[in-house]
Amino acid sequence: MEKVYKTKEGKMIWVILIFLTIINLFMLNERIMFLPYIALVIFVCALFLSYEFKIKGTTLTYRVILFGLVIVKKEAAANEVKEIYFINLRGIPNVLIKPTKGMRWKLARFKPDTYADDVYQFAEQHGIKKIELNGYQPTFKNEQ
C-alpha cells in the first residue's frame, strides 16, 4: 500500500527576503550589482517549492519539486535507515530520518497529519531504531 504526503514551502520568510532584496537593489550602486538579482531569483523560486514524502512497501521516498520538476529525489529501503527521531515541537510532530548513507531527511507540516504515525508504524514493522524526543507520543498508541 502506498501512502503519499505533501507540503509546500512556507511563504512568509521568502516574501520578507524578496522585499529586503528589492530594497537593497534600490540602494546599491556597487560593481557587484548582479548578486541581489541572483538572490531575488532564488527567493522567488523558493516560493514555489513543494515536498512529497511517500511510504511504499519497504521503501521511503522524499522529493523536492520546483515548478512541477523533481529537483531532489532521495530513496531509502527499510534496511538503509539507521534511526528515526520523532520530535514534538509545540504539539506538532516532526520526524528526522537518518539513512546509513547521506544526509538526514526532515519531515514537518506534511498533509495528511498522520505522516508521523505512519512513519512510526513503518519503523516498528521493519525494526528501525526509534527515538522519541520532547514528549512525543504516537496518536495510535493513545487511542488503544
Side-chain angles (χ1 to χ4, degrees):
M1 181 176 175
E2 181 176 304
K3 297 178 183 179
V4 179
Y5 309 92
K6 296 181 180 190
T7 191
K8 294 188 178 212
E9 185 67 44
K11 306 282 187 245
M12 191 61 181
I13 187 70
W14 299 112
V15 170
I16 291 169
L17 289 172
I18 289 170
F19 180 71
L20 292 173
T21 304
I22 291 172
I23 289 173
N24 190 14
L25 282 171
F26 287 120
M27 300 178 122
L28 189 67
N29 338 352
E30 299 291 325
R31 291 187 305 225
I32 56 170
M33 183 98 169
F34 66 93
L35 289 178
Y37 287 107
I38 293 171
L40 185 63
V41 169
I42 291 170
F43 297 156
V44 169
C45 286
L47 281 172
F48 298 99
L49 280 177
S50 62
Y51 305 90
E52 182 180 89
F53 176 68
K54 192 182 299 184
I55 302 173
K56 184 177 181 182
T58 62
T59 306
L60 301 174
T61 306
Y62 182 76
R63 300 184 331 162
V64 180
I65 302 165
L66 177 63
F67 299 122
L69 300 170
V70 177
I71 57 174
V72 175
K73 182 177 180 180
K74 300 177 183 180
E75 240 179 48
N79 60 352
E80 297 172 344
V81 177
K82 182 179 179 182
E83 56 195 9
I84 302 178
Y85 291 84
F86 296 90
I87 307 164
N88 184 18
L89 295 174
R90 291 178 272 140
I92 300 168
N94 289 279
V95 179
L96 294 176
I97 299 174
K98 290 185 78 175
T100 52
K101 295 179 182 176
M103 301 286 289
R104 67 172 170 78
W105 309 357
K106 179 185 176 198
L107 307 177
R109 300 181 328 219
F110 278 85
K111 299 291 179 199
D113 294 332
T114 60
Y115 73 94
D117 291 337
D118 293 338
V119 173
Y120 194 93
Q121 289 176 335
F122 178 86
E124 280 189 338
Q125 289 172 356
H126 299 287
I128 300 170
K129 181 180 177 184
K130 301 176 297 300
I131 300 169
E132 300 165 2
L133 300 172
N134 206 23
Y136 175 84
Q137 289 293 318
T139 55
F140 66 88
K141 279 192 172 181
N142 294 340
E143 294 170 357
Q144 293 176 351

